[in-house]
Amino acid sequence: MARGTLRIYLGAAPGVGKTYAMLSEAHRRVERGTDCVVAFVEHHHRPRTEVMLHGLEQLPRREIEYRGGIFTEMDVDAVLRRAPRVALVDELAHTNVPGSRNTKRWQDVEELLAAGIDVISTVNIQHLESLGDVVESITGVRQRETVPDEVVRRADQIELVDMSPQALRRRMAHGNIYKPDKVDAALSNYFRPGNLTALRELALLWVADRVDAYLTEYRSEHRVSTIWGSRERIVVGLTGGPEGRTLIRRAARLAEKGAGGEVMAVYISRSDGLTAVSPKELALQRTLVEDLGGTFHQVVGDDIPAALLDFARGVNATQIVLGVSRRRSWQYVFGPGVGATVARESGPDLDVHLITHAEVGKGRGLPVARGARLGRSRVIGGWLAGVLGPFLLTWLLNSVVPDIGLANDMLLFLTLTVAAALLGGLLPALASAVVGSTLLNWFFTPPVHTLTIADPQNIVAIVVFVGVAVAVASVVDLAARRTHQAARLRAESEILSFLAGNVLRGETGLEDLLERVRETFGMESVALLERAGEKDPWTCAGSVGPRPATTPDAADVDVPVGDHMALSLRGRVLPAADRRVLAAFAAQAAVVVDRRRLKGEADRAEKLAEGNRIRTALLAAVSHDLRTPLAGIKAAVTSLRSDDVEWSEEDQAELLEAIEEGADRLDQLVGNLLDMSRLQTGTVAPVLRETDLDEVVPMALGGVPEDSVELDIPETLPMVHVDRGLLERAVANVVENAVKHSPPGEKVLVSASALANRVEVRVVDRGPGVPDEAKERIFEPFQRYGDSPRGVGVGLGLAVARGFTEALRGTVHAEDTPGGGLTMVLSVPMAPERLEQPALPATAGP
């Protein structure tokens, strides 16, 4: 029996219309005469979805009793008995009630597919197993119901049901997704615009990756070698020369002209490793292409045009960008060049751009490393093969295999010369050529046992032998040295790339850098020493490994950095060739120390500047905001003490009330100033303990009128791990700020809810609100947004609230209130034991 096909409607969030699209497809198939049934569809009381179920055959569900309740699940046996052509199964990631046939619904679907039944299902992007951590970091909600990615990837069809965040929020506000009493909470939590935008991007990228994989698989199965320009993919051919940066920028501009353009830079290196490009320049070009959003690739190939075209066709590229050759005009006699060859062989489906640049016609001029040396054992082996080998070969030819001919004798001696060159380099090979030619003349060239040569042809043969031996020895020696140089340059380029990519961007600390030095050069310990002056003692700025050197004289290797710093290594003496890279490490270590010192000074300067700013703002606040209530109190007291006026009891009560209000305002202002002082000096030491919010929040409302706040704190909320006094003060400041900006007659809503491993307190007002660009600025000290009248505070309430909340390992931020206003969200951690409770089994239904 043939396996059924699986079609999945994938959405970014609940409510985008997956189930509606699935039911619409079912109606279309029924109209065409397809046997289609509803195996399980949950409409969640959404009227439009419920209407779509009319006219479709719905199979009965299986009822399961669990913990005193009755739940319904898809009846797999009923579907298999009915054996429809197509079955609709909603919510692929759903976890079945314990006691069901399978644990997960996707396992039920696998049974239907194995029975030859086509299945149409739905799933949201947040339910894919591999994206669980990403979704949790975006929304703060850990998805308990997941489906393995491979199950979705194996689907025969995946259709993305897309909707903009604004349209989805409008659909939510109209009550088309959740009941009206849940709309505000949903819009303020999971269905925030940022959350929806991030989830939508996840869905689009996942589907795009699936489409790309399917296209690659199809082209491979059908052996499609031609390029399908589904989107612009631009390959940049790099040589390691300075023109590469121009080519990368030009390719990036070409990619920007088309939607979804992609830039891939590729460097073709020869398999023998003899071509020495500038590692620094190649590293800069790699950083540039990655900064522009492209990718860097390195491919090995001896035929550069063929390797470049193979790479371009392999990645389904549509364009190739190359630079005009840097060769001089006379060098074209050796061939047309890479650019012309690629353009000729690219075919009609691949465009080739030849870009002019400042290096055209100036020659290659690539740097070549010099001074590489062979190992001592190889040199000794080369001298043995070059000097003793000819004598041993002469004995063998005279004793074991005599009279094989002069030509064969010369070839055998030439083999020894080549071996000497491979092992020891040029000098052993030259010695082998001299000794071998002498032995050939004495033992094998008539007349033998003399240095004279009777036949002129033998003279020519000996001369040719010496010339070929020297030429071959030179070539082999050069190849061996270049191979050694290439390996060394490759190692140095990796080290320099590490320095350029990590240290210069400040991503590596001093200890990490010194550890890299120790590992690279195989040393026992590494220390960076510094001193203030010539006569001052050395101090250790940082070290790794046992027994680090305390002075440069006590080290095996000492690399000075300036006049008052040195990199000291213990373990072994390094050759001079290694000191070049070691000097680069030493210089970068000094840069790290200087950066750390400058950062500390900058932090101290920033704290001083912040302190000066706060002192200046404090003086301004004291000069007006504190004097205003003092002036009112003094005026009232002066009036009461005056003997010239006879005050009535009502007037006296009014003046006393003014004095009390002024004193309360002074108390609040001084309290905020003291709190900010504690925060600035770092003397806030919270005492964390388990606390119920319903014991803290009501106490924070004592400073506002009784009828100005509506409280909604569920008793079932988990306990939080906070300092009661700090949290009460933070909530009080936020609530007082909300009441101050609320319109007359509008109550401020204070609600709380649990979200992941945290508890959120939301303070919602219907005031004028705050634009997005000012939402962070209102938490700065001495900031009063908009046209708030002077005398109502020094602008410290929200700054203190944020400082206390962060001291409790929590956060506070501002959001727009749906319908107008501002919502302050305070998030604090749950108590530890609440986090360790096992999750309850998932239940069926919404």
Side-chain angles (χ1 to χ4, degrees):
M1 179 182 297
R3 179 180 172 86
T5 61
L6 175 61
R7 178 171 183 170
I8 293 178
Y9 286 91
L10 177 68
V16 295
K18 303 179 302 300
T19 304
Y20 191 93
M22 178 179 67
L23 294 174
S24 298
E25 174 65 19
H27 280 286
R28 285 192 294 271
R29 297 199 182 196
V30 169
E31 291 174 0
R32 295 196 300 265
T34 304
D35 182 14
C36 182
V37 301
V38 176
F40 189 96
V41 169
E42 187 60 67
H43 55 72
H44 297 297
H45 303 290
R46 297 169 187 168
R48 297 190 178 183
T49 305
E50 192 172 359
V51 168
M52 291 297 294
L53 285 170
H54 298 166
L56 296 176
E57 179 184 352
Q58 301 184 49
L59 296 181
R61 302 181 182 183
R62 181 187 176 191
E63 293 185 351
I64 301 175
E65 182 179 355
Y66 179 70
R67 290 189 176 181
I70 301 297
F71 302 93
T72 60
E73 294 287 0
M74 180 176 68
D75 193 336
V76 180
D77 291 328
V79 180
L80 293 175
R81 287 194 301 268
R82 173 61 174 78
R85 184 70 186 89
V86 179
L88 307 184
V89 182
D90 204 4
E91 299 177 356
L92 186 63
H94 172 74
T95 301
N96 293 329
V97 175
S100 302
R101 183 188 187 109
N102 295 302
T103 304
K104 304 287 289 187
R105 185 164 292 164
W106 64 264
Q107 296 170 330
D108 296 337
V109 169
E110 286 292 324
E111 285 197 41
L112 301 183
L113 295 173
I117 300 174
D118 296 343
V119 176
I120 304 177
S121 188
T122 63
V123 72
N124 283 330
I125 192 67
Q126 64 264 31
H127 294 300
L128 294 182
E129 200 167 74
S130 65
L131 300 179
D133 294 339
V134 180
V135 173
E136 183 179 11
S137 66
I138 294 171
T139 64
V141 179
R142 182 67 180 181
Q143 297 295 330
R144 303 298 180 187
E145 296 187 332
T146 59
V147 57
D149 289 44
E150 186 59 29
V151 174
V152 182
R153 289 184 181 276
R154 286 202 307 263
D156 300 275
Q157 296 181 60
I158 299 177
E159 183 171 335
L160 178 65
V161 183
D162 190 25
M163 177 175 288
S164 69
Q166 294 78 11
L168 183 56
R169 284 173 60 86
R170 283 196 301 270
R171 178 180 288 184
M172 172 73 71
H174 293 159
N176 294 333
I177 301 177
Y178 291 154
K179 294 181 180 180
D181 58 340
K182 297 182 179 180
V183 170
D184 285 341
L187 289 175
S188 302
N189 290 279
Y190 194 88
F191 286 81
R192 299 173 187 172
N195 289 359
L196 297 178
T197 302
L199 292 173
R200 187 188 190 198
E201 183 181 21
L202 272 181
L204 291 171
L205 290 174
W206 195 91
V207 173
D209 179 66
R210 176 70 177 83
V211 171
D212 222 13
Y214 174 76
L215 180 60
T216 302
E217 181 182 350
Y218 179 86
R219 294 178 72 237
S220 175
E221 290 178 354
H222 293 78
R223 298 181 180 179
V224 178
S225 58
T226 59
I227 292 172
W228 289 358
S230 54
R231 60 172 168 163
E232 291 295 335
R233 284 188 175 93
I234 303 174
V235 171
V236 185
L238 302 179
T239 64
E243 78 282 356
R245 283 171 276 179
T246 302
L247 304 183
I248 292 170
R249 293 189 180 97
R250 182 59 184 274
R253 291 197 297 271
L254 290 174
E256 290 175 357
K257 295 180 179 179
E262 184 180 356
V263 176
M264 290 172 283
V266 58
Y267 169 69
I268 310 293
S269 60
R270 296 186 182 276
S271 59
D272 55 13
L274 300 182
T275 303
V277 301
S278 169
K280 179 179 179 181
E281 181 63 32
L282 206 59
L284 290 175
Q285 294 175 15
R286 178 172 190 159
T287 302
L288 176 61
V289 71
E290 291 174 350
D291 289 343
L292 293 175
T295 56
F296 181 87
H297 307 267
Q298 186 165 346
V299 178
V300 177
D302 295 321
D303 188 343
I304 294 179
L308 184 61
L309 289 171
D310 289 342
F311 175 82
R313 292 192 175 99
V315 298
N316 202 29
T318 57
Q319 302 180 52
I320 295 180
V321 173
L322 299 173
V324 176
S325 178
R326 288 182 286 121
R327 295 191 302 174
R328 303 186 187 277
S329 57
W330 60 268
Q331 291 178 308
Y332 282 96
V333 299
F334 299 106
V338 174
T341 304
V342 171
R344 184 181 66 246
E345 299 179 0
S346 61
D349 53 357
L350 190 57
D351 298 333
V352 179
H353 302 266
L354 293 179
I355 308 300
T356 58
H357 49 85
E359 304 297 323
V360 173
K362 292 186 178 180
R364 296 185 183 276
L366 295 177
V368 179
R370 300 289 182 185
R373 64 181 183 86
L374 300 173
R376 183 178 180 181
S377 59
R378 288 188 57 182
V379 173
I380 294 175
W383 280 106
L384 292 175
V387 177
L388 298 182
F391 290 100
L392 179 62
L393 179 61
T394 301
W395 176 78
L396 290 174
L397 293 176
N398 284 324
S399 304
V400 182
V401 283
D403 300 329
I404 62 174
L406 182 61
N408 292 327
D409 295 335
M410 288 184 176
L411 288 176
L412 292 174
F413 277 95
L414 182 61
T415 301
L416 279 178
T417 303
V418 173
L422 286 173
L423 291 174
L426 183 60
L427 292 180
L430 294 178
S432 176
V434 172
V435 174
S437 60
T438 303
L439 293 177
L440 278 172
N441 187 2
W442 183 270
F443 289 101
F444 304 103
T445 305
V448 295
H449 302 134
T450 65
L451 295 179
T452 59
I453 302 175
D455 190 347
Q457 293 182 356
N458 292 336
I459 296 177
V460 174
I462 293 294
V463 172
V464 170
F465 165 76
V466 174
V468 171
V470 172
V472 170
S474 300
V475 172
V476 172
D477 173 71
L478 180 61
R481 287 180 178 272
R482 288 291 177 83
T483 301
H484 186 84
Q485 293 170 12
R488 182 174 184 83
L489 284 172
R490 184 164 55 249
E492 290 185 3
S493 69
E494 292 177 357
I495 296 173
L496 295 175
S497 176
F498 165 79
L499 290 175
N502 294 79
V503 179
L504 296 182
R505 289 198 296 264
E507 298 175 358
T508 300
L510 178 61
E511 286 70 21
D512 295 331
L513 180 62
L514 296 180
E515 181 63 28
R516 180 62 182 261
V517 173
R518 191 175 72 88
E519 292 178 355
T520 300
F521 297 99
M523 305 301 287
E524 180 182 350
S525 63
V526 180
L528 184 66
L529 307 177
E530 61 177 349
R531 60 181 178 179
E534 293 290 340
K535 298 182 179 180
D536 294 314
W538 290 95
T539 60
C540 182
S543 65
V544 294
R547 300 186 305 105
T550 55
T551 63
D553 295 336
D556 295 319
V557 179
D558 171 33
V559 179
V561 186
D563 297 331
H564 306 296
M565 191 173 290
L567 186 65
S568 302
L569 295 84
R570 272 185 171 177
R572 62 188 178 91
V573 177
L574 293 177
D578 289 340
R579 291 179 177 265
R580 179 179 59 183
V581 178
L582 187 58
F585 271 109
Q588 294 305 326
V591 170
V592 171
V593 172
D594 291 340
R595 185 192 299 118
R596 186 170 62 183
R597 185 176 294 114
L598 290 174
K599 186 177 183 303
E601 294 176 357
D603 292 340
R604 289 192 294 271
E606 184 178 357
K607 289 182 179 179
L608 290 175
E610 179 67 16
N612 288 334
R613 188 180 71 83
I614 291 178
R615 281 192 292 270
T616 302
L618 178 59
L619 290 174
V622 170
S623 67
H624 186 283
D625 294 296
L626 292 182
R627 292 177 63 186
T628 299
L630 280 174
I633 293 173
K634 182 174 178 57
V637 171
T638 302
S639 299
L640 287 173
R641 297 186 62 185
S642 174
D643 297 332
D644 299 335
V645 180
E646 186 71 26
W647 300 102
S648 64
E649 292 184 1
E650 291 80 4
D651 293 336
Q652 291 180 4
E654 185 176 347
L655 290 172
L656 290 173
E657 184 180 357
I659 293 174
E660 185 178 12
E661 289 179 357
D664 290 340
R665 185 182 300 175
L666 277 176
D667 180 68
Q668 181 182 6
L669 293 175
V670 172
N672 277 334
L673 288 171
L674 292 175
D675 289 339
M676 180 53 62
S677 174
R678 293 170 60 198
L679 289 171
Q680 292 295 328
T681 56
T683 57
V684 176
V687 179
L688 304 179
R689 62 185 63 182
E690 297 178 10
T691 305
D692 282 321
L693 273 183
D694 55 4
E695 297 177 0
V696 177
V697 176
M699 299 296 295
L701 307 182
V704 297
E706 293 183 2
D707 58 347
S708 61
V709 177
E710 178 184 347
L711 200 58
D712 181 17
I713 307 295
E715 296 181 357
T716 57
L717 277 178
M719 300 181 74
V720 293
H721 198 230
V722 297
D723 184 304
R724 290 189 57 173
L726 296 184
L727 180 60
E728 180 182 331
R729 188 64 178 155
V731 174
N733 282 6
V734 173
V735 172
E736 289 171 7
N737 181 79
V739 171
K740 185 189 309 178
H741 292 90
S742 291
E746 286 284 349
K747 290 186 177 182
V748 172
L749 173 63
V750 180
S751 62
S753 60
L755 184 66
N757 59 347
R758 308 182 73 81
V759 174
E760 287 188 351
V761 178
R762 309 181 71 85
V763 181
V764 183
D765 67 62
R766 295 293 179 178
V770 176
D772 292 340
E773 62 271 13
K775 282 187 172 62
E776 282 299 312
R777 196 166 64 247
I778 61 177
F779 291 100
E780 297 177 4
F782 304 102
Q783 294 292 324
R784 289 182 294 194
Y785 177 73
D787 52 358
S788 298
R790 299 190 64 85
V792 299
V794 293
L796 288 176
L798 294 182
V800 170
R802 169 166 282 189
F804 283 175
T805 306
E806 291 178 349
L808 301 176
R809 297 179 290 114
T811 60
V812 58
H813 65 275
E815 298 178 354
D816 291 328
T817 301
L822 191 68
T823 298
M824 291 290 182
V825 183
L826 289 86
S827 175
V828 292
M830 290 183 187
E833 65 270 14
R834 297 288 175 176
L835 301 178
E836 299 173 0
Q837 287 185 351
L840 295 176
T843 58

